[in-house]
Amino acid sequence: MEQHTRTDAYSDRYADRAAGMVASEIRALFAVASRPEVVSLAGGMPYVSALPLDEFGGMVGDLIARNGAEVLQYASAQGDPGLREQICDVMALEGVQACADDVIVTVGAQQALDLVTRIFVNPGDVVLAEGPSYVGALGTFASYQADVVHVAMDEDGLVPDALEETLARLRREGRTVKFLYTVPTFQNPAGVTLSAPRRARLLELAAEYDILIIEDNPYGLLGFDGEPMRALRADDSDRVVYLGTFSKTIASGLRVGWALAPHAVRAKLVLAAESAVLCHSSFSQLAVREYLATQPWREQIKEFRQLYRERRDAMLDALDAHMPEGCTWTRPGGGFFVWLTLPEGLDAKAMAPRAIAERVAYVPGTGFYADGNGRRDMRISYCYPEPDRIREGVRRLAGVIENELHTRDTFGGVGPHRSPGVDTPGPEVI
Ligand SMILES: Cc1ncc(COP(=O)(O)O)c(C=O)c1O
């Protein structure tokens, strides 16, 4: 019988870029976290069960019966022209005026991120990102051997003074910034939103320092109060590459996202996409095109917003009710995530196994920094569990933190601090 061993016969042959691709220490924990008795506040999965699945299935069946020869065929690497027109209508909800020719359809926003990084970043190049930042972007930047420099955030998003300081320092050091990556609206993982005055200041600084901005905006239409925020791209079409996705407004399994870029950049992205995947799934693209053309998608987004708002409220109420003194957390106006900071002396990563033992899971903050920061922080998400489970999860988490505080106050420490490093926890917690 064939024997499988765990040693890697090719370990001396990998390209340097593969060295940045490492499985997270916490990945193993998440295998345990998926057990039904554990309340997982770790996952970033949208609640796709809220879609009218029967109707969706009927629509897809009809589409194939009617138009199978197109749906099941190769297509252009830039993406279906009809879908690109519809994408422009979706972006118009955030004030973006775009032409379908400047859009490329991608395999989720994640592939758009990969393509953008591929065409701009050489090993060692500087990429700026909020601290904390989206874990999937950090994984991509690591795989292209970028040097990620974090810029501080507060409850109003990226801090412009911190950005200016960083840009001035890098300029003095003679280092070129390839781009600034930002999730300005309902950020993953921090749940905060860049205020309107800061948006204007950010664009001014980008012009002053000649910086390209990558605006990643999966949650922009999932605000709980009022109209959608105006995208950065709405106020600067030359300096901003906008990344969008249907993962949160329709379904993540379709894997349909896009990039809107200045014309020459878009052309490079199409060439990069061709070499990566030839073309994207016609099946998924045409399913989205059909859905947008025939289904009440605006109403469906309203339903998602209502659902996530209830869950956000359940989480914030439970945090107010149960968290021990010294914990602080963000109060998101949309999206999926709350960012919680533990009292001084506690370590969210070291605490994670003890939380799992108490049947609650979260993502330690270190996964959202490229430089080992975030030890006192964690991301807790409210997108997937039902409100009662969220309340129970927060209650359990508060109990775990109480215990850590007790240990800290009794013994002056709370277990080992782990070494820094990029955690890549896997798609289920993205
Ligand atoms: C900020 C951010 N960017 C990109 C993505 C990737 O999304 P997609 O499913 O479109 O690849 C996610 C997924 O959660 C995200 O939170």
Side-chain angles (χ1 to χ4, degrees):
M1 218 170 97
E2 200 182 335
Q3 291 289 312
H4 292 282
T5 60
R6 286 183 172 271
T7 53
D8 183 352
Y10 301 102
S11 58
D12 58 344
R13 291 185 213 186
Y14 289 116
D16 292 345
R17 74 183 78 88
M21 301 173 186
V22 284
S24 160
E25 291 170 45
I26 55 175
R27 202 179 276 231
L29 274 184
F30 288 116
V32 187
S34 61
R35 292 204 309 242
E37 68 273 21
V38 176
V39 177
S40 179
L41 306 176
M45 292 184 298
Y47 194 70
V48 290
S49 313
L51 280 172
L53 296 177
D54 285 348
E55 281 162 42
F56 201 95
M59 182 200 81
V60 169
D62 286 350
L63 180 66
I64 294 184
R66 229 181 334 107
N67 196 13
E70 187 188 4
V71 172
L72 302 177
Q73 188 53 276
Y74 287 123
S76 94
Q78 190 178 351
D80 178 70
L83 176 60
R84 286 189 280 112
E85 294 283 354
Q86 291 166 314
I87 285 172
C88 292
D89 294 341
V90 173
M91 289 189 291
L93 299 174
E94 296 168 330
V96 174
Q97 301 296 319
C99 143
D101 191 42
D102 292 339
V103 173
I104 169 176
V105 179
T106 55
V107 183
Q110 187 66 33
Q111 194 207 12
L113 257 170
D114 183 89
L115 297 176
V116 165
T117 313
R118 182 187 301 214
I119 65 169
F120 282 111
V121 174
N122 287 319
D125 280 350
V126 175
V127 166
L128 298 182
E130 288 138 350
S133 185
Y134 166 54
V135 64
L138 295 180
T140 300
F141 301 151
S143 74
Y144 287 99
Q145 300 162 277
D147 181 7
V148 175
V149 175
H150 287 293
V151 181
M153 278 198 303
D154 62 19
E155 61 278 9
D156 286 328
L158 195 77
V159 179
D161 287 350
L163 176 62
E164 190 169 14
E165 230 168 77
T166 307
L167 290 170
R169 175 173 61 78
L170 291 165
R171 183 181 270 182
R172 278 196 307 276
E173 290 169 4
R175 304 198 68 193
T176 307
V177 174
K178 283 298 174 82
F179 55 73
L180 163 69
Y181 168 73
T182 175
V183 185
T185 308
F186 316 133
Q187 202 237 18
N188 179 2
V192 299
T193 293
L194 190 67
S195 65
R198 285 193 181 181
R199 283 174 196 243
R201 182 70 189 127
L202 172 56
L203 292 176
E204 270 173 23
L205 283 171
E208 193 178 324
Y209 284 85
D210 191 17
I211 300 295
L212 176 68
I213 297 174
I214 310 301
E215 174 180 31
D216 186 9
N217 192 26
Y219 306 99
L221 296 182
L222 294 180
F224 305 143
D225 319 285
E227 292 302 302
M229 195 89 190
R230 202 172 159 77
L232 289 167
R233 168 60 178 71
D235 293 312
D236 196 330
S237 53
D238 295 332
R239 209 166 266 296
V240 180
V241 174
Y242 176 105
L243 312 186
T245 179
F246 291 111
S247 284
K248 323 290 165 168
T249 48
I250 308 179
S252 46
L254 292 165
R255 309 305 300 127
V256 178
W258 69 91
L260 166 68
H263 196 76
V265 176
R266 198 278 291 147
K268 283 268 190 243
L269 290 173
V270 172
L271 295 173
E274 262 167 15
S275 80
V277 293
L278 286 185
C279 68
H280 305 104
S281 158
S282 305
F283 181 75
S284 285
Q285 291 186 71
L286 298 191
V288 172
R289 186 179 81 184
E290 188 72 4
Y291 177 85
L292 293 173
T294 64
Q295 306 295 311
W297 60 274
R298 290 180 177 80
E299 279 64 42
Q300 182 59 47
I301 292 177
K302 263 190 212 149
E303 269 183 42
F304 278 132
R305 281 167 33 195
Q306 181 59 24
L307 181 131
Y308 294 130
R309 186 212 310 247
E310 277 167 23
R311 292 171 186 206
R312 186 268 325 250
D313 290 346
M315 179 166 274
L316 290 182
D317 290 349
L319 288 166
D320 288 338
H322 299 297
M323 276 297 144
E325 204 164 309
C327 292
T328 57
W329 55 89
T330 56
R331 306 187 81 84
F336 288 3
F337 307 109
V338 168
W339 185 250
L340 186 141
T341 302
L342 294 171
E344 197 74 53
L346 267 57
D347 181 329
K349 193 163 174 181
M351 190 176 87
R354 299 190 272 281
I356 299 261
E358 295 300 324
R359 294 164 299 130
V360 59
Y362 58 83
V363 189
T366 44
F368 305 96
Y369 285 90
D371 58 9
N373 266 318
R375 278 218 315 253
R376 264 173 68 199
D377 305 312
M378 66 176 73
R379 188 191 75 180
I380 46 178
S381 51
Y382 50 81
C383 45
Y384 200 73
E386 305 278 346
D388 278 347
R389 294 279 286 170
I390 293 173
R391 282 186 273 270
E392 177 57 21
V394 170
R395 205 184 54 73
R396 290 178 192 172
L397 181 60
V400 175
I401 298 171
E402 293 277 11
N403 269 337
E404 299 284 295
L405 286 170
H406 180 70
T407 310
R408 180 197 69 179
D409 296 341
T410 313
F411 303 107
V414 285
H417 284 184
R418 309 280 173 86
S419 59
V422 177
D423 287 317
T424 49
E428 63 281 23
V429 298
I430 272 307

